[in-house]
Amino acid sequence: MHVLVEPSPNPVVTVGSARFGNRLPFALIAGPCALESREHAFEMASALKDIADKLGIGFVYKTSFDKANRTSVKSRRGIGLDAALPIFAAIRRNLGIPVLTDVHETSQCESVAQVVDVLQIPAFLCRQTDLLVAAARTGRVINVKKGQFLAPWDMTNVVAKIVAAGNANVLVTERGTSFGYNTLVSDMRALPILARSTGAPVIFDATHSVQQPGGQGTSSGGEREFVGVLARSAVAVGVAGVFIETHQDPDKAPSDGPNMIPLKDMEGLLRRLIEFDRLAKSGGSAC
């Protein structure tokens, strides 16, 4: 008698020199919200690479070529796909670091996958089956953000769609849950629940978790002073990775400035998180 075994995601996902596993030392996904220019991207990626190398943590650079779900039609969306692709390729080639970016449509997946290491599925699109399958079939690592409207156990079906398409390299990211108007709340119970229910490495998005969607009328607000609070809390629970958006001058950034942290604060925050991570995983109690 043959028993059919459902395919499952890999418990450890490798991206370049970064290894994401719920019981491994955490790896970092970081960068500015929006891709502004080649010069800015190289400046940010180089600075973050230096910090990660100094601290001995795995690092994946992230940025978005199109902010397709901006609050207002007047909001700046980004430099676009065609302008972004050669920049992504150059960062990987010249700096030797892996790159992550969002995809919003099935037609984008194949071309983006040729120049990045991780395709990210935005939270609002995490149940779009065609997009999940198209991204999975590129063979790249998939980072799928949990929708603000989903319970953590609902992500089991999301991950199953990706794995069933033949791709076991899946990361799941918690980024808060809608709570009343213009507010998100982070339930730290979601982290071990995500790990247990999906079997995938769990990432905590510390900056979008403090976002206030539509909180400024025609743009989202945020409370960046709580980024460190939530990041420490998540790492204390135990996660495979931390996702942090950062910028040299967040208040002048084209998008998500209120919830990004200043680049100058990154090293100090990461040093503190490393201490919390070691403590959380030293007793084997991490998720």
Side-chain angles (χ1 to χ4, degrees), residues 57-282:
I57 57 177
F59 168 55
V60 177
Y61 181 70
K62 73 78 46 187
T63 193
S64 301
F65 62 85
D66 180 15
K67 306 304 295 182
N69 59 1
R70 297 301 302 275
T71 303
S72 169
V73 71
K74 298 178 181 179
S75 301
R76 294 165 61 185
R77 288 182 50 167
I79 69 172
L81 178 62
D82 291 341
L85 295 182
I87 298 175
F88 292 148
I91 290 172
R92 294 173 76 217
R93 180 179 63 251
N94 298 346
L95 299 181
I97 53 177
V99 174
L100 172 153
T101 198
D102 314 81
V103 287
H104 302 271
E105 302 173 12
T106 58
S107 60
Q108 297 172 342
C109 294
E110 191 59 43
S111 59
V112 174
Q114 294 178 29
V115 295
V116 305
D117 303 87
V118 184
L119 298 183
Q120 181 166 279
I121 307 298
F124 285 125
L125 300 178
C126 70
R127 289 183 56 174
Q128 295 295 103
T129 301
D130 289 346
L131 180 60
L132 293 169
V133 171
R137 287 178 175 169
T138 66
R140 290 302 190 184
V141 173
I142 308 301
N143 181 37
V144 56
K145 290 197 168 186
K146 179 181 76 64
Q148 302 92 323
F149 45 87
L150 292 182
W153 47 84
D154 292 331
M155 288 297 286
T156 304
N157 292 322
V158 174
V159 171
K161 292 177 183 181
I162 297 169
V163 176
N167 191 337
N169 287 320
V170 189
L171 307 172
V172 293
T173 295
E174 167 63 42
R175 50 87 28 96
T177 301
S178 295
F179 184 76
Y181 296 125
N182 305 122
T183 306
L184 299 171
V185 65
S186 292
D187 180 359
M188 294 303 162
R189 296 175 302 175
L191 301 172
I193 292 171
L194 281 168
R196 181 174 67 240
S197 61
T198 68
V202 176
I203 314 298
F204 181 71
D205 181 343
T207 43
H208 285 97
S209 291
V210 303
Q211 188 183 62
Q212 296 172 318
Q216 295 183 352
T218 58
S219 64
S220 292
E223 298 177 303
R224 78 167 67 101
E225 66 266 33
F226 295 121
V227 170
V229 173
L230 293 181
R232 292 193 299 271
S233 300
V235 172
V237 171
V239 288
V242 180
F243 180 112
I244 301 174
E245 288 192 337
T246 183
H247 193 280
Q248 298 97 328
D249 189 352
D251 292 330
K252 294 183 179 178
S255 65
D256 274 353
N259 49 266
M260 284 197 285
I261 71 165
L263 179 61
K264 64 181 178 61
D265 296 337
M266 277 291 290
E267 183 174 340
L269 173 59
L270 291 170
R271 286 187 182 277
R272 193 77 184 275
L273 295 182
I274 289 170
E275 295 176 5
F276 274 65
D277 187 63
R278 286 174 179 160
L279 181 61
K281 293 170 181 173
S282 62

